[in-house]
Amino acid sequence: MAQLWGGRFTGSINELAWDFNASITFDKRFLEVDVRGSKAHATMLAKQGIISEAEKDQIVKGLDSILEDVKAGKLEITTKYEDIHSFLEANLIDRIGDAGKKVHTGRSRNDQVALDMRLYARNEIEHTADLLKETLKVLNGIMESNTETYMPGFTHLQKAQPVTLAHHIGAYFEMFKRDLLRMKDIRNRMNYCPLGAGALAGTTYPLDREYTAQLLDFYGPTLNSMDSVSDRDYLIEYLSALSTIMMHLSRFSEEIIIWNSNEYRFVTIDDAYSTGSSIMPQKKNPDIAELVRGKTGRVYGDLMSLLTTMKGIPLAYNKDMQEDKEAAFDAIDTVDNCLTLFTDMLRTLKFNKDNMEKSAMMGFTNATDAADYLVKKGLSFRDAHSVIGRLVLACIDKNCAIDDLSLEQLKTFSDLFEEDIYDAISLKTCVEKRLTIGAPSSTSIEKVIRLNNDFLATFSIL
């Protein structure tokens, strides 16, 4: 068993306790960031004269060789090591001797692991942003192709007013755009270097923390050593943002599941993202959308796990905080997979435009416009609302749309109806006369699409 401590102990740790305490099985994914942090630390130590340049060069070369050998499969990360830090240090000492024993000068595992998690989280935040940006590009592409694809807009899952597919998809563009902006906010807030905080109270060595931060592309060093080793706010923010992404994906998945049903038939999901039934040969199930919806609860659970772990921990570092890693890793992996698959499914999704338009026609989505027509003819809105309500009831009895009634039939409800009613309540008119920014008219949507393109062209996570 390789560990970074032991001088204080005379007995051996219980094997089960060792396994329970160890984190090597999951923190091994810190390998690259731990190497990067150790190289930066050694470079700073040499600059400050704490170790020699020759020792620094040995350390850097040794760390690089370990990383290369692990990647090449020549060196295995095994459970005989307590964590990734002991794995690297033990192998470094084996390779370069006494110089390897100096890499930990002025450093604690507390600030080392705090650094590793920040570096890892920063990389993952940037990756999540890339995935979100790709999702936004696909969404904007769907919008560009469907500014005149009419469909019902819903409230309470009931048909409400006519919109376009571009308008409906645009709502999700706004959601995922906010998710992307949250990635930038989180990265900016967490981009400070904890290395040099020591166990909790800094160190007596003359470290140059500003230089270390510069080497690792941070804005600067953290300003309180106790907070440096015990802060996991940035992870909680990140998992909260990931949970919001999953909520948005789940809402969208729910709609695709509904739209894919025989009752709607608004979409056809590509075979690559569907499965069949073992007993019912006619079935084509939206499994990817359903799994995305299901995995949302898993990410919520990871967030609650981390919040619960952190809620009762006194300053500064405590071993409980080791529990941050598996929850964070699981949430990150889950969201990455869900975003990738969902975006690929969206890219191949076929929209059944005729079914969408027929649904809007038969759902009385133009009823509000019919009431507005009567208001413009001089009737009060409340009376117009009552007239159209009775008219809709009659259409339900006849199993027809308002547009299907003759002018003579319409006049039995109000003498104010004239021939121009049919144009006034057509889907095209109902949509196109809504010209305010954010509304579904093609003029409004095309302006939003241009703004979306500008955003995608200029956005940078850095």
Side-chain angles (χ1 to χ4, degrees):
M1 296 178 181
Q3 70 237 6
L4 300 179
W5 48 271
R8 159 69 174 80
F9 294 79
T10 56
S12 298
I13 189 170
N14 175 276
E15 187 173 347
L16 182 60
W18 169 269
D19 292 338
F20 190 68
N21 184 66
S23 58
I24 190 72
T25 55
F26 49 86
D27 71 11
K28 61 185 178 182
R29 66 168 74 191
F30 281 165
L31 175 65
E32 291 191 43
V33 295
D34 201 74
V35 166
R36 186 183 179 193
S38 293
K39 287 166 64 176
H41 185 63
T43 301
M44 181 274 298
L45 291 176
K47 172 182 172 293
Q48 296 300 100
I50 300 169
I51 64 174
S52 70
E53 283 291 328
E55 289 169 329
K56 181 263 290 184
D57 291 341
Q58 283 184 279
I59 290 169
V60 169
K61 184 177 179 180
L63 288 168
D64 284 338
S65 71
I66 292 170
L67 181 58
E68 289 169 10
D69 286 352
V70 171
K71 287 184 174 181
K74 297 177 182 177
L75 178 62
E76 185 181 0
I77 302 173
T78 70
T79 55
K80 82 172 187 177
Y81 301 97
E82 182 181 4
D83 51 35
I84 194 63
H85 321 298
S86 56
F87 165 81
L88 271 174
E89 189 169 331
N91 278 276
L92 184 64
I93 293 169
D94 285 345
R95 293 188 181 208
I96 68 171
D98 286 345
K101 298 177 181 178
K102 296 186 178 183
V103 70
H104 206 57
T105 307
R107 185 175 69 172
S108 164
R109 269 195 304 180
N110 292 358
D111 61 340
Q112 186 177 5
V113 72
L115 172 70
D116 285 2
M117 184 54 96
R118 281 187 190 243
L119 289 174
Y120 183 85
R122 189 175 68 182
N123 291 341
E124 291 301 321
I125 287 166
E126 291 169 5
H127 181 58
T128 304
D130 289 340
L131 293 176
L132 285 167
K133 196 169 181 181
E134 187 60 30
T135 303
L136 289 170
K137 288 178 182 176
V138 173
L139 291 172
N140 208 44
I142 295 172
M143 291 173 68
E144 289 174 331
S145 302
N146 292 281
T147 58
E148 295 183 4
T149 300
Y150 302 114
M151 65 173 290
F154 296 84
T155 63
H156 309 281
L157 205 55
Q158 298 183 69
K159 296 173 187 177
Q161 291 179 294
V163 295
T164 63
L165 179 59
H167 188 241
H168 194 110
I169 294 297
Y172 286 105
F173 187 98
E174 295 302 315
M175 294 181 206
F176 291 114
K177 178 182 175 182
R178 291 193 293 270
D179 291 329
L180 180 56
L181 291 171
R182 269 187 280 272
M183 293 302 113
K184 187 178 181 74
D185 290 343
I186 295 166
R187 189 191 185 282
N188 284 339
R189 233 180 331 272
M190 58 84 69
N191 197 36
Y192 293 87
C193 183
L195 196 58
L200 80 159
T203 177
T204 58
Y205 291 98
L207 307 184
D208 186 342
R209 295 193 62 212
E210 286 79 6
Y211 181 64
T212 305
Q214 179 184 340
L215 290 174
L216 294 169
D217 298 319
F218 286 105
Y219 298 148
T222 52
L223 299 182
N224 183 282
S225 58
M226 293 182 75
D227 181 61
S228 300
V229 297
S230 61
D231 169 37
R232 295 298 184 272
D233 287 5
Y234 63 94
L235 272 187
I236 291 170
E237 282 192 70
Y238 187 23
L239 266 62
S240 178
L242 292 179
S243 296
T244 304
I245 291 170
M246 289 303 297
M247 180 266 289
H248 292 153
L249 286 173
S250 185
R251 293 183 72 181
F252 206 165
S253 293
E254 174 71 8
E255 295 208 304
I256 288 173
I257 292 163
I258 292 170
W259 292 356
N260 182 67
S261 67
N262 289 329
E263 286 71 22
Y264 279 78
R265 291 181 295 164
F266 282 6
V267 298
T268 301
I269 300 174
D270 191 89
D271 288 355
Y273 303 98
S274 304
T275 64
S277 166
S278 63
I279 191 173
M280 296 169 284
Q282 82 280 10
K283 295 289 292 298
K284 185 176 180 182
N285 300 324
D287 280 13
I288 298 302
E290 290 175 353
L291 282 169
V292 169
R293 185 177 60 182
K295 287 180 183 295
T296 301
R298 177 179 183 145
V299 177
Y300 288 2
D302 291 327
L303 171 60
M304 290 308 301
S305 174
L306 183 53
L307 283 167
T308 305
T309 295
M310 294 301 298
K311 76 175 182 65
I313 299 180
L315 291 175
Y317 180 82
N318 294 263
K319 193 70 172 184
D320 319 40
M321 295 171 72
Q322 183 169 289
E323 289 296 302
D324 66 344
K325 295 170 192 62
E326 289 179 285
F329 297 160
D330 182 70
I332 291 165
D333 292 346
T334 301
V335 174
D336 282 0
N337 288 334
C338 288
L339 271 174
T340 300
L341 277 169
F342 189 87
T343 302
D344 288 344
M345 180 181 67
L346 268 186
R347 194 179 281 111
T348 59
L349 200 63
K350 292 182 180 177
F351 296 95
N352 303 323
K353 300 179 182 183
D354 289 343
N355 289 345
M356 289 180 162
E357 185 166 338
K358 288 175 184 175
S359 180
M361 289 288 294
M362 294 305 297
F364 305 108
T365 58
N366 54 2
T368 301
D369 294 86
D372 289 342
Y373 170 88
L374 294 176
V375 170
K376 291 173 183 176
K377 296 286 185 174
L379 202 62
S380 70
F381 178 79
R382 188 53 56 208
D383 288 340
H385 187 283
S386 179
V387 168
I388 300 304
R390 295 195 304 273
L391 179 54
V392 167
L393 189 60
C395 287
I396 292 172
D397 289 339
K398 296 176 182 292
N399 193 29
C400 67
I402 296 174
D403 318 56
D404 295 332
L405 297 179
S406 67
L407 182 59
E408 182 179 355
Q409 289 173 307
L410 289 171
K411 281 185 173 292
T412 63
F413 292 91
S414 174
D415 290 335
L416 295 175
F417 284 119
E418 300 294 345
E419 195 66 39
D420 59 349
I421 180 60
Y422 298 105
D423 179 63
I425 63 173
S426 71
L427 289 183
K428 184 175 180 64
T429 301
C430 291
V431 169
E432 291 301 332
K433 69 184 180 182
R434 287 174 161 78
L435 295 169
T436 55
I437 189 70
S441 69
S442 58
T443 301
S444 300
I445 288 294
E446 285 164 4
K447 181 176 181 181
V448 169
I449 289 169
R450 289 193 296 272
L451 292 171
N452 291 347
N453 280 322
D454 290 344
F455 172 78
L456 291 169
T458 58
F459 177 83
S460 172
I461 189 71
L462 301 179

